[in-house]
């Protein structure tokens, strides 16, 4: 990619985020706009784009980089892409390894480092694009299924231990068994919904069919 003139580092928090702007000048890399704090709420995101405009940043002359923080940065990434900005979402560990540990770490400091990271590794960055809706739904369902499986295993182990005790507790055993039965129902329901979503999307259906043709590979 052609290296843009300016780089925005964004450090995401659950309630707020910090953004700093850096650029390469004659004297070297420099933070030209110090970290600024913004509210991390959907209704406040247009204010952030307004701030970018005041700094003369356009979708064509800058890259905005943030760390992958799950749901906390999702709304911002979606909004920025909808405004045609070039957004990069990098693994936190990858950014961390690019810098030596020195001094006091804070959100404002991290935003400056993220901006520098984007500049240094510009030729390796890949622009973030939202997943298609079907994949977002499948991802959420797979996460929920995994949580149900973990809970089911916990109930099975606890019930197995109870049944080995000399003094039995029928109520506790019954509650565990009911929980296991309910979780089995939920897991089956989730798997059916995932299959339904895939069947609605011919490319995904074909891809799954090809993958399942590999020995030892199942739907999940």
């Amino acid at each position: 990619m052609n290296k843009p003139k300016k780089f925005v580092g964004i450090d995401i928090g659950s309630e707020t985020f910090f953004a700093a702007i850096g650029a390469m000048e004659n004297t070297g890399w420099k933070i030209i706009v110090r970290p600024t704090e913004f509210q991390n709420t959907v209704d406040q995101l247009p204010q952030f784009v307004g701030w970018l405009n005041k700094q003369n940043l356009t979708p064509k002359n800058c890259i905005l980089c943030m760390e992958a923080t799950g749901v906390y940065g999702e709304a911002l990434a979606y909004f920025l892409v909808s405004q045609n900005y070039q957004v990069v979402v990098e693994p936190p560990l990858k950014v961390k390894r690019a810098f030596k540990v020195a001094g006091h770490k804070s959100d404002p400091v991290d935003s400056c480092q993220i901006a520098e990271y984007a500049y240094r590794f510009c030729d390796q960055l890949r622009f973030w694009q939202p997943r298609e809706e079907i994949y977002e739904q499948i991802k959420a369902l797979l996460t929920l299924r995994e949580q149900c499986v973990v809970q089911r295993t916990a109930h099975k182990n606890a019930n197995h231990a109870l049944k080995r005790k000399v003094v039995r507790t029928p109520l506790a055993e019954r509650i565990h068994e009911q929980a296991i039965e309910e979780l089995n129902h939920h897991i089956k329901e989730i798997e059916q919904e995932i299959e339904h979503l895939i069947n609605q999307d011919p490319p995904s259906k074909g891809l799954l069919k090809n993958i399942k043709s590999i020995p030892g590979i199942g739907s999940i």
Side-chain angles (χ1 to χ4, degrees):
M1 70 174 69
N2 295 325
K3 184 169 287 191
K5 295 181 178 180
K6 297 176 182 177
F7 297 82
V8 183
I10 304 172
D11 187 77
I12 301 289
S14 60
E15 303 295 333
T16 64
F17 64 88
F18 282 86
I21 302 173
M24 175 58 69
E25 299 187 342
N26 293 333
T27 55
W29 171 259
K30 181 180 180 182
I31 294 296
I32 57 175
V33 178
R34 297 186 62 80
T36 303
E37 187 175 18
F38 300 89
Q39 293 297 312
N40 193 8
T41 57
V42 174
D43 60 319
Q44 295 296 313
L45 297 183
Q47 292 189 10
F48 175 59
V49 171
W51 177 79
L52 293 174
N53 292 333
K54 288 181 180 178
Q55 312 305 324
N56 296 318
L57 296 188
T58 69
K60 294 184 178 180
N61 70 2
C62 70
I63 286 179
L64 296 94
C65 183
M66 64 181 76
E67 294 177 333
T69 55
V71 297
Y72 296 137
E74 188 175 79
L76 177 60
Y78 269 94
F79 183 74
L80 290 172
V81 169
S82 74
Q83 301 299 307
N84 298 317
Y85 281 94
Q86 301 177 111
V87 177
V88 176
V89 180
E90 290 288 276
L93 186 59
K94 191 175 180 181
V95 177
K96 181 180 179 182
R97 286 176 173 171
F99 297 91
K100 294 181 179 179
V101 179
H104 176 66
K105 292 281 287 180
S106 65
D107 293 344
V109 170
D110 288 346
S111 67
C112 294
Q113 288 191 340
I114 294 171
E116 183 179 349
Y117 169 89
Y119 166 75
R120 287 168 53 189
F121 298 95
C122 180
D123 59 335
Q124 301 175 29
L125 301 178
R126 292 188 177 183
F127 295 135
W128 181 86
Q129 288 294 330
R131 291 187 184 91
E132 292 184 21
E133 185 175 327
I134 183 175
Y135 295 121
E136 283 293 343
Q137 291 177 315
I138 291 174
K139 179 184 176 183
L141 289 170
L142 284 172
T143 300
L144 178 59
R145 181 188 181 278
E146 183 179 355
Q147 292 168 346
C148 288
V149 169
V150 170
Q151 292 176 29
R152 183 181 64 181
T153 301
H155 282 291
K156 285 182 176 180
N157 292 340
N159 201 32
H160 179 72
L162 282 174
K163 289 182 176 181
R164 296 194 59 172
K165 292 175 70 68
V166 174
V167 179
R168 301 285 290 272
T169 311
L171 176 61
E173 293 176 18
R174 179 166 57 83
I175 290 174
H176 280 303
E177 288 167 0
Q178 289 174 346
I180 292 168
E181 183 178 352
E182 185 176 358
L183 287 165
N184 282 334
H185 172 74
H186 288 324
I187 291 169
K188 185 177 180 180
E189 190 177 17
I190 291 167
E191 291 174 351
Q192 290 175 342
E193 179 63 16
I194 291 173
E195 184 176 358
H196 173 69
L197 288 169
I198 290 174
N199 287 336
Q200 286 183 319
D201 184 60
S204 298
K205 184 178 180 180
L207 179 60
L208 179 62
K209 182 179 180 180
N210 290 335
I211 292 173
K212 287 173 66 176
S213 68
I214 302 172
I217 301 296
S219 296
I220 298 301

